[in-house]
């Protein structure tokens, strides 16, 4: 859900976190701008096993399906070593269209995850490409992604963003939880999804900023402990919000590629999630 710097049409509501979010964000920037950017997160000492190399499924078939096993202590890590649409990794992912019906799926191509379809082509701009893990993580959890972005890439006609999801639950016609988005122009925001398509609330946000624009290899991390959400960019805290609406759910990832995007040009090349 991006927070658009300039609305497309009247006001951009949150496909991946913008729109109405923009108005909320203007009120929140002052409160969050004072956040120190010198706070470092501790290094994770438990390393998850990387995904094994992909294995072909049928003779002559070019597709592959590679399970990415969950590690001990409910720590999951993947480098997207198989090409799948929708993402499965051995049945470990719940997807926005396959399971939620009203949203879109996440796709992987060798070494990266990205949106599986353009969003906003139907009646809503908020049918993000989303997926969450189906492992039973604790309520206190994190999701972390490493950016994959082609040098100089930008959707010049609309918006494109990558997302991390916390305490998420996708069921038929319902998707609820917390989204942390990173827009192509540097917007970073925290948004609560309430369930129905397009029903959301912006909780905190930073405006467009060239110094916040994501480049290849940048790391975004989202953590939720109790009712407090922290967002870290390359190890330093940049955003904070409090909300006690959702008390359970799973970590995940998502994308908001509007028309004019190149789906695979902005995504995640590594992802991890776990308990805190």
């Amino acid at each position: 859900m991006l927070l658009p710097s300039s609305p497309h049409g009247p006001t951009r509501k949150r496909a991946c976190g913008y729109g109405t979010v923009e108005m909320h964000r203007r009120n929140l920037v002052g409160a969050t701008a004072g956040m120190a950017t010198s706070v470092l997160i501790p290094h994770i000492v438990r390393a998850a096993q990387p995904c094994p190399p992909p294995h072909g499924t049928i003779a002559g078939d070019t597709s592959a399906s590679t399970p990415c096993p969950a590690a001990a202590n409910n720590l999951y890590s993947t480098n997207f070593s198989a090409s799948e649409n929708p993402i499965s990794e051995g049945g470990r992912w719940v997807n926005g269209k396959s399971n939620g019906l009203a949203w879109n799926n996440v796709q992987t191509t060798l070494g990266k995850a990205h949106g599986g379809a353009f969003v906003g082509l139907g009646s809503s701009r908020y049918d993000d490409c989303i997926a969450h893990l189906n492992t039973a993580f604790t309520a206190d959890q994190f999701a972390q992604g490493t950016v994959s972005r082609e040098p100089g890439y930008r959707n010049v006609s609309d918006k494109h963003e990558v997302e991390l999801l916390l305490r998420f639950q996708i069921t038929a016609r319902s998707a609820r939880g917390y989204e942390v988005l990173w827009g192509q122009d540097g917007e970073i925001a925290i948004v609560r999804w309430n369930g129905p398509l397009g029903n959301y609330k912006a909780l905190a946000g930073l405006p467009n900023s060239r110094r916040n624009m994501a480049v290849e290899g940048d790391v975004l991390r989202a953590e939720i402990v109790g009712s407090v959400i922290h967002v870290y960019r390359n190890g330093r805290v940049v955003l904070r919000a409090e909300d006690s609406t959702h008390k359970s759910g799973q970590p995940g990832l998502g994308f908001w590629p509007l028309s004019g995007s190149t789906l695979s040009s902005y995504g995640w090349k590594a992802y991890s999630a776990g308990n805190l």
Side-chain angles (χ1 to χ4, degrees), residues 161-178:
E161 74 187 22
V162 295
E163 305 164 351
L164 298 174
L165 308 178
L166 295 170
R167 291 185 186 170
F168 231 75
Q169 183 181 69
I170 299 170
T171 55
R173 305 290 176 187
S174 177
R176 61 89 171 151
Y178 299 101

Side-chain angles (χ1 to χ4, degrees), residues 108-127:
T108 61
T109 53
L110 194 58
K112 69 174 70 174
H114 53 81
F118 296 112
V119 303
L121 300 181
S123 59
S124 173
R125 283 173 65 86
Y126 315 115
D127 54 343

Side-chain angles (χ1 to χ4, degrees), residues 245-259:
T245 303
H246 303 309
K247 302 187 187 316
S248 65
Q250 308 307 313
L253 71 170
F255 308 92
W256 192 43
L258 287 155
S259 181

Side-chain angles (χ1 to χ4, degrees), residues 108-163:
T108 61
T109 53
L110 194 58
K112 69 174 70 174
H114 53 81
F118 296 112
V119 303
L121 300 181
S123 59
S124 173
R125 283 173 65 86
Y126 315 115
D127 54 343
D128 305 33
C129 304
I130 53 174
H132 67 70
L133 289 161
N134 60 15
T135 308
F137 288 91
T138 60
D140 293 345
Q141 60 190 234
F142 78 88
Q144 178 173 300
T146 302
V147 170
S148 170
R149 186 173 187 172
E150 293 183 7
Y153 169 73
R154 184 173 178 272
N155 177 2
V156 297
S157 61
D158 216 318
K159 297 290 185 179
H160 195 168
E161 74 187 22
V162 295
E163 305 164 351

Side-chain angles (χ1 to χ4, degrees), residues 19-272:
T20 302
V21 179
E22 170 67 11
M23 295 192 301
H24 287 283
R25 178 167 54 78
R26 288 174 183 163
N27 296 328
L28 289 163
V29 170
T32 57
M35 292 285 298
T37 58
S38 60
V39 180
L40 295 174
I41 59 173
H43 293 294
I44 301 172
V45 295
R46 299 190 307 272
Q49 294 297 317
C51 291
H55 304 287
T57 52
I58 306 173
D61 189 359
T62 58
S63 65
S65 180
T66 304
C68 184
N73 301 311
N74 286 79
L75 182 63
Y76 188 88
S77 178
T78 178
N79 294 317
F80 311 112
S81 59
S83 295
E84 299 181 312
N85 191 6
I87 185 174
S88 172
E89 294 185 328
R92 288 184 169 87
W93 291 90
V94 176
N95 275 270
K97 189 172 185 65
S98 300
N99 304 97
L101 307 179
W103 293 269
N104 283 291
N105 293 331
V106 169
Q107 179 178 354
T108 61
T109 53
L110 194 58
K112 69 174 70 174
H114 53 81
F118 296 112
V119 303
L121 300 181
S123 59
S124 173
R125 283 173 65 86
Y126 315 115
D127 54 343
D128 305 33
C129 304
I130 53 174
H132 67 70
L133 289 161
N134 60 15
T135 308
F137 288 91
T138 60
D140 293 345
Q141 60 190 234
F142 78 88
Q144 178 173 300
T146 302
V147 170
S148 170
R149 186 173 187 172
E150 293 183 7
Y153 169 73
R154 184 173 178 272
N155 177 2
V156 297
S157 61
D158 216 318
K159 297 290 185 179
H160 195 168
E161 74 187 22
V162 295
E163 305 164 351
L164 298 174
L165 308 178
L166 295 170
R167 291 185 186 170
F168 231 75
Q169 183 181 69
I170 299 170
T171 55
R173 305 290 176 187
S174 177
R176 61 89 171 151
Y178 299 101
E179 171 200 358
V180 173
L181 66 95
W182 200 353
Q184 64 174 14
D185 297 317
E187 307 93 326
I188 300 176
I190 303 170
V191 182
R192 186 184 75 217
W193 290 41
N194 297 319
L197 179 62
N199 188 326
Y200 69 94
K201 180 180 180 180
L203 301 177
L206 296 175
N208 294 353
S209 171
R210 279 197 162 280
R211 67 189 180 92
N212 288 333
M213 287 179 67
V215 299
E216 179 80 11
D218 277 347
V219 176
L220 192 71
R221 179 181 173 98
E223 296 183 353
I224 184 165
V225 176
S227 60
V228 180
I229 301 170
H230 283 100
V231 180
Y232 303 85
R233 177 181 180 271
N234 295 329
R236 298 181 184 276
V237 65
V238 293
L239 203 57
R240 178 186 184 277
E242 289 191 43
D243 188 88
S244 58
T245 303
H246 303 309
K247 302 187 187 316
S248 65
Q250 308 307 313
L253 71 170
F255 308 92
W256 192 43
L258 287 155
S259 181
S261 300
T262 302
L263 294 176
S264 62
S265 291
Y266 190 28
W268 300 117
K269 67 178 184 179
Y271 176 86
S272 60

